[in-house]
Amino acid sequence: MKLTKTLIATTIALSMAFSAFALDGTEIMTKVYDRKKPDFSKAAVIMTLTDKNGNTEVRQVGEYGRNKNDLTDTVMIFFSPASVKDTRFLQKENKGTDDDKWIFLPALRTTRRVASSDGDKAFVGTDFTYDDMSTREVEEDTHELLKESETKFNFDCYVVKSTPKDSKDQYLYRISWVDKDSWIPVYIELYDKKGKLQKINSIPTLKKMQGATGHTYNIPVKSLMENVQTNHSTCIEIKNIELDKPLQDGYFSPNFLQTGRL
């Protein structure tokens, strides 16, 4: 009897100790948001769009990134094919409010600001919406830890359900598989307003890469967004990337979009 009581007491103590150190959903997604990012990045990207019949369109894209004061700015330049050539996009992250976005459309020869109301529209014909491209702040959702551990693409992951606080959000909720080592969501399910699975964003491969300053980062070298309702997908592959090599501020301005020159 004494042994049984001792085992019960030990089990309770271990359970309490584990609970004291266990992370909840909000803490996990905070680590995702706060993970170290390169100060600068410059990448050559191949973007492949595949329709329901298996037809593909391959795009060559240049991407510049800057992380300044813990806020990320991104520029994308489309080089080919002719249908999107010279399209340029700029996104500037804001804290506590919607990101600023601009797009230059060569057919119109003008740069326009992307309105917040256009957030659920497709980004240059891809399976990503403008809001999918945005950096999502932790405070925008309530986060529930569904599983302490589940394997996805050989990554040991937390599974977290994130429900938007704003009822106008394009998704009812998202479920993220967050790699415990890199704090990168390697698999995300996005559910439509009816609660049906709409899209899956998967990152099957992370590559450790060293930047010019010596810091090592986990880089998602391949990302696939699949719309399971339309059987259309967009694959983004990084073919070459430079990290932490300074870029001129001029890249991250609407003026650059208009001219394509500094």
Side-chain angles (χ1 to χ4, degrees):
M1 181 65 71
K2 290 182 180 179
L3 179 59
T4 301
K5 288 182 177 180
T6 301
L7 286 173
I8 293 173
T10 301
T11 300
I12 293 173
L14 288 173
S15 177
M16 292 177 65
F18 176 79
S19 298
F21 290 100
L23 297 174
D24 63 25
T26 299
E27 291 169 327
I28 291 166
M29 299 313 286
T30 298
K31 287 183 175 292
V32 170
Y33 184 85
D34 289 341
R35 72 180 184 271
K36 175 66 176 174
K37 304 175 184 68
D39 290 334
F40 300 95
S41 62
K42 182 179 179 181
V45 174
I46 297 296
M47 180 183 290
T48 305
L49 281 62
T50 305
D51 68 17
K52 63 181 180 181
N53 297 316
N55 300 311
T56 61
E57 177 184 287
V58 179
R59 299 174 173 182
Q60 294 185 340
V61 183
E63 184 173 317
Y64 301 115
R66 176 181 67 177
N67 190 266
K68 186 176 182 180
N69 299 322
D70 294 324
L71 297 173
T72 301
D73 300 334
T74 305
V75 172
M76 300 180 73
I77 306 167
F78 290 77
F79 298 118
S80 70
S83 59
V84 294
K85 179 178 170 59
D86 293 331
T87 299
R88 295 184 279 271
F89 173 72
L90 167 63
Q91 175 173 282
K92 297 177 75 70
E93 181 185 359
N94 294 313
K95 184 67 176 175
T97 187
D98 292 337
D99 294 350
D100 290 320
K101 304 180 186 72
W102 295 266
I103 189 165
F104 173 76
L105 300 170
L108 301 178
R109 297 177 180 254
T110 187
T111 299
R112 69 171 182 87
R113 181 186 286 269
V114 179
S116 298
S117 58
D118 290 335
D120 61 351
K121 290 183 169 55
F123 170 67
V124 197
T126 71
D127 294 278
F128 294 87
T129 64
Y130 283 103
D131 280 351
D132 289 337
M133 306 290 290
S134 294
T135 302
R136 193 159 186 88
E137 295 183 15
V138 180
E139 297 80 8
E140 294 183 72
D141 307 297
T142 58
H143 306 281
E144 177 188 357
L145 177 61
L146 299 182
K147 293 184 180 179
E148 286 279 351
S149 181
E150 183 168 301
T151 300
K152 185 70 71 173
F153 304 131
N154 295 318
F155 299 110
D156 183 19
C157 299
Y158 293 108
V159 184
V160 178
K161 179 181 179 180
S162 300
T163 304
K165 295 178 181 178
D166 186 351
S167 60
K168 295 180 181 178
D169 192 281
Q170 64 179 307
Y171 303 113
L172 187 63
Y173 59 87
R174 302 163 175 83
I175 299 179
S176 302
W177 280 253
V178 178
D179 173 38
K180 294 180 180 179
D181 177 57
S182 65
W183 299 108
I184 292 175
V186 294
Y187 191 84
I188 305 172
E189 293 181 344
L190 304 104
Y191 289 80
D192 67 18
K193 287 296 193 178
K194 296 180 180 179
K196 295 182 178 180
L197 180 61
Q198 181 178 359
K199 293 192 286 189
I200 297 172
N201 188 197
S202 54
I203 300 175
T205 306
L206 299 175
K207 185 176 181 180
K208 290 188 180 295
M209 302 186 70
Q210 191 175 72
T213 59
H215 192 89
T216 299
Y217 305 92
N218 289 287
I219 302 299
V221 293
K222 184 176 182 179
S223 174
L224 178 66
M225 181 68 93
E226 302 172 87
N227 189 319
V228 300
Q229 296 182 4
T230 65
N231 292 319
H232 195 284
S233 66
T234 302
C235 179
I236 297 176
E237 287 188 84
I238 294 175
K239 292 300 183 181
N240 185 42
I241 189 168
E242 297 177 350
L243 302 172
D244 288 337
K245 290 185 178 180
L247 296 168
Q248 296 182 52
D249 289 342
Y251 283 116
F252 305 97
S253 73
N255 288 338
F256 174 73
L257 297 191
Q258 186 69 33
T259 64
R261 297 187 298 272
L262 294 177

